[in-house]
Amino acid sequence: MSTHVKRAFKYRFYPTDAQAAELSRTFGCVRKVYNLALAARTQAWARQERVNYHQTSAMLTAWKKTEELAYLNEVSSVPLQQALRHLQTAFTHFFGKRARYPRFKSRKKSRRSAEYTSSAFRFRDGKLTLAKMTEPLDIVWSRPLPEGMAPSTVTVSQDSAGRWFVSLLCDDPGVKPLPATGQAVGVDVGLDHLLTLSTGEKIANPRHERRDRTRLAKAQRNLARRARGDGANRRKARLKVAKIHARIADRRRDTLHKLTTRLVRENQTIVIEDLTVRNMVKNHRLARAISDAAWSEFRSMLEYKAQWYGREVIAVDRWFPSSKLCSACNTLRDTMPLNVRTWTCDCGVTHDRDVNAANNLLAAGLAVTVCGAGVRPQRSTPDGQSATKQKPSRREP
């Protein structure tokens, strides 16, 4: 049985000079409106008052009538209203204790984007025309949209490397649960190997950042030598650094998509470890390697694909001692230094450290399905104390 899933289809496009100028103006106005509304809500919060979306929308109308902000009338009003809705969502997450307090958007560092709803664009015969534009965007249709489906919202963005993208949000009726496989797998993430499966398979870590590290360092040194400011030479040097970063990120994302799609297709249940990557990257000796492995992005992809295709992802408690526990007899070792890659238990079984951890994660995850949702498997040491996971202490491999 198929189910309608909201799915974003992202494409590269090449704007004309007039379209690029219009979109750049729109990006600037979106950022300005967002910051003005955030400042107004912050001041009201200091006075112990609440300001909601409807009040900021009324403020926007008043701002457009002032001489100082009259330029807001030159762009489509829809992306400006969407910016206020995004701010409302950010405050909703903040009050729900799911996110930090919203931050102001920086001209140089924040993402350049604008969102258009159906009233601000026209999509006909495979051509997309935005409000305030007379010509359709020159989009590279690298894959087709769902047949007969029109986008409900369109988001236009420009990355730090200067590339233009358009993301079309559609209902995709083609997403349907995959046939049940009955297979379950434990997945242990690492640095020497990106993934180790409970089947014994090890997937090499591509180390995308390391492959371009020399070229990136050279470009960064060139940027550091340029005079501060908005000079042309500094902009060119900054763009070169951004292009190298974009190349690394593209390769990393492609690898993760292929791995997660394969795992979801082959397995009914996937057990992973609930790692706190934000805390782990505080170890400066491993931060670069951990960031390059992109464990958080891997988990995010795995979870939404599992939801689409009727699979189950189980996250085992991060303090579960998967590496120190013998998967054969459940004996828990006191210590397990990171340089120990194979070890022999007192029961006589010799373990590969990562495969053993993946097997323990699988067993703990399957126990969750038996015990009920929300159970976080824990193991106790022989003296009754709670076992804790060892923190990384070695240098980047």
Side-chain angles (χ1 to χ4, degrees):
M1 182 180 65
S2 63
T3 176
H4 286 257
V5 172
K6 285 286 186 182
R7 188 172 181 180
F9 293 81
K10 190 174 182 178
Y11 304 93
R12 184 96 178 260
F13 77 97
Y14 297 87
T16 63
D17 291 341
Q19 290 173 338
E22 175 64 28
L23 290 172
S24 295
R25 282 195 299 270
T26 303
F27 294 159
C29 291
V30 166
R31 184 180 62 251
K32 182 67 174 179
V33 168
Y34 186 95
N35 287 343
L36 287 172
L38 177 55
R41 296 185 69 148
T42 301
Q43 293 168 4
W45 177 258
R47 299 191 302 268
Q48 297 184 346
E49 299 176 2
R50 288 284 188 94
V51 173
N52 57 28
Y53 160 75
H54 298 289
Q55 290 169 295
T56 55
S57 181
M59 291 178 186
L60 175 59
T61 303
W63 292 335
K64 288 183 175 181
K65 295 178 181 179
T66 64
E67 183 178 352
E68 180 184 3
L69 299 175
Y71 62 85
L72 295 177
N73 293 289
E74 298 175 3
V75 302
S76 172
S77 62
V78 172
L80 306 185
Q81 293 288 347
Q82 290 299 101
L84 298 180
R85 290 189 175 94
H86 294 162
L87 180 61
Q88 177 63 37
T89 301
F91 270 101
T92 299
H93 291 322
F94 168 69
F95 291 130
K97 298 182 179 180
R98 296 185 297 273
R100 297 180 180 180
Y101 192 83
R103 293 182 294 181
F104 290 96
K105 293 184 179 294
S106 166
R107 182 173 67 89
K108 293 183 178 180
K109 297 181 180 180
S110 296
R111 180 170 180 260
R112 292 163 54 84
S113 66
E115 184 177 272
Y116 296 78
T117 58
S118 57
S119 61
F121 67 84
R122 183 173 67 253
F123 184 75
R124 294 177 184 171
D125 301 324
K127 295 184 178 181
L128 177 67
T129 306
L130 301 178
K132 301 287 186 178
M133 295 184 185
T134 57
E135 298 179 4
L137 299 181
D138 182 14
I139 300 175
V140 179
W141 297 101
S142 53
R143 55 176 174 167
L145 288 175
E147 187 175 355
M149 291 293 171
S152 56
T153 63
V154 169
T155 302
V156 181
S157 61
Q158 185 185 28
D159 67 7
S160 57
R163 303 178 300 178
W164 294 86
F165 295 95
V166 59
S167 180
L168 291 79
L169 186 66
C170 304
D171 282 325
D172 189 355
V175 175
K176 58 183 67 175
L178 294 171
T181 65
Q183 298 294 322
V185 67
V187 181
D188 181 63
V189 297
L191 298 179
D192 290 333
H193 294 88
L194 183 61
L195 302 178
T196 300
L197 308 184
S198 56
T199 58
E201 180 184 358
K202 292 189 175 184
I203 298 172
N205 187 351
R207 304 182 191 277
H208 298 292
E209 186 271 340
R210 176 176 285 186
R211 289 170 57 186
D212 279 343
R213 186 175 297 177
T214 301
R215 200 154 63 106
L216 178 61
K218 182 179 179 180
Q220 288 174 329
R221 286 195 300 268
N222 185 40
L223 174 61
R225 286 195 295 266
R226 302 302 173 187
R228 297 281 180 177
D230 292 328
N233 287 337
R234 186 171 179 84
R235 284 199 299 271
K236 291 178 182 178
R238 186 187 299 116
L239 185 62
K240 189 170 184 178
V241 172
K243 286 182 177 179
I244 297 174
H245 277 299
R247 172 185 169 88
I248 294 170
D250 287 346
R251 290 203 308 259
R252 180 187 298 126
R253 193 178 304 110
D254 180 67
T255 297
L256 293 179
H257 270 301
K258 290 175 180 176
L259 288 175
T260 52
T261 298
R262 177 198 153 190
L263 288 173
V264 167
R265 284 177 176 173
E266 294 179 354
N267 301 281
Q268 186 68 34
T269 303
I270 305 166
V271 184
I272 59 176
E273 193 171 11
D274 185 20
L275 297 175
T276 309
V277 179
R278 182 184 300 174
N279 293 336
M280 298 178 72
V281 295
K282 293 178 182 178
N283 182 332
H284 298 296
R285 291 176 294 181
L286 290 172
R288 174 182 282 181
I290 292 174
S291 298
D292 190 32
W295 295 336
S296 294
E297 190 173 4
F298 166 76
R299 175 173 176 174
S300 176
M301 288 183 182
L302 199 61
E303 288 178 337
Y304 80 71
K305 290 179 183 181
Q307 184 178 9
W308 283 0
Y309 298 112
R311 303 309 199 202
E312 183 180 19
V313 174
I314 300 173
V316 176
D317 188 272
R318 64 181 66 104
W319 299 115
F320 177 66
S322 56
S323 298
K324 298 189 293 182
L325 187 69
C326 175
S327 57
C329 67
N330 286 340
T331 299
L332 184 65
R333 292 177 68 103
D334 294 333
T335 59
M336 182 65 64
L338 284 170
N339 61 342
V340 176
R341 309 315 300 173
T342 59
W343 58 282
T344 303
C345 180
D346 294 337
C347 67
V349 178
T350 300
H351 295 290
D352 176 286
R353 179 195 183 100
D354 298 330
V355 175
N356 177 66
N359 281 318
N360 283 325
L361 290 173
L362 175 60
L366 295 180
V368 170
T369 61
V370 174
C371 298
V375 178
R376 311 182 84 182
Q378 300 281 358
R379 297 281 181 175
S380 297
T381 59
D383 59 0
Q385 298 297 321
S386 176
T388 58
K389 179 174 289 297
Q390 292 170 296
K391 296 181 181 179
S393 59
R394 63 189 177 99
R395 293 186 179 274
E396 176 188 348

